[in-house]
Amino acid sequence: MGQVKPFRPTALVVEDDPIQREMIALLLEETNYDVIQCEDGETAELALRNRHPALLVTDVSLVGAMTGLDLVECARKVHPAPRVIVMSARPPAHALPDGVTFFAKPFYPIELIREVSPGRRH
């Protein structure tokens, strides 16, 4: 008989820098997430619609027409439940939507691990 894989929530990581994207993905995989990686908002929007991730981690500045904040707005329309972490080297120009956590780049990996650990809610 086949072994049943334990349920792992899905995280969507959207970052145009491949090194940062891979580092974040590795941290989330170690924290028991299945990770989808995208470098632009348009591709991430498709993943949001098809996979309904439990966690969205996005940079504010992305390649393409869509920003990370546009993606957050889209995520809330498609599936209002995901936890959202927005990252940027600059502080946000406007207030972030309710329930969105902001990480200033660079950040320590342990900060992300603590934020996404089980039992931690925004």
Side-chain angles (χ1 to χ4, degrees):
M1 236 180 176
Q3 237 181 343
V4 177
K5 266 177 76 172
F7 173 76
R8 288 170 48 116
T10 300
L12 176 58
V13 176
V14 191
E15 167 62 68
D16 54 354
D17 180 308
I19 294 169
Q20 288 187 32
R21 186 174 62 239
E22 186 64 29
M23 182 210 53
I24 293 165
L26 288 170
L27 289 170
L28 293 174
E29 286 168 352
E30 290 298 317
T31 316
N32 287 322
Y33 280 90
D34 285 329
V35 179
I36 302 167
Q37 297 183 45
C38 298
E39 74 172 342
D40 61 75
E42 292 78 11
T43 306
E45 183 179 12
L46 292 173
L48 281 169
R49 293 182 187 284
N50 293 316
R51 298 290 301 275
H52 303 287
L55 174 66
L56 169 62
V57 180
T58 183
D59 192 0
V60 171
S61 299
L62 302 171
V63 296
M66 191 179 256
T67 69
L69 297 177
D70 295 335
L71 186 61
V72 170
E73 187 177 311
C74 175
R76 295 284 164 89
K77 289 178 184 172
V78 171
H79 184 61
R83 269 176 90 181
V84 178
I85 298 172
V86 172
M87 311 170 293
S88 181
R90 287 179 242 124
H94 305 286
L96 294 173
D98 288 342
V100 173
T101 301
F102 179 76
F103 274 32
K105 288 182 181 179
F107 56 86
Y108 292 104
I110 191 69
E111 294 176 74
L112 180 62
I113 292 168
R114 283 186 188 134
E115 183 63 32
V116 302
S117 293
R120 172 91 183 206
R121 256 335 253 180
H122 43 245

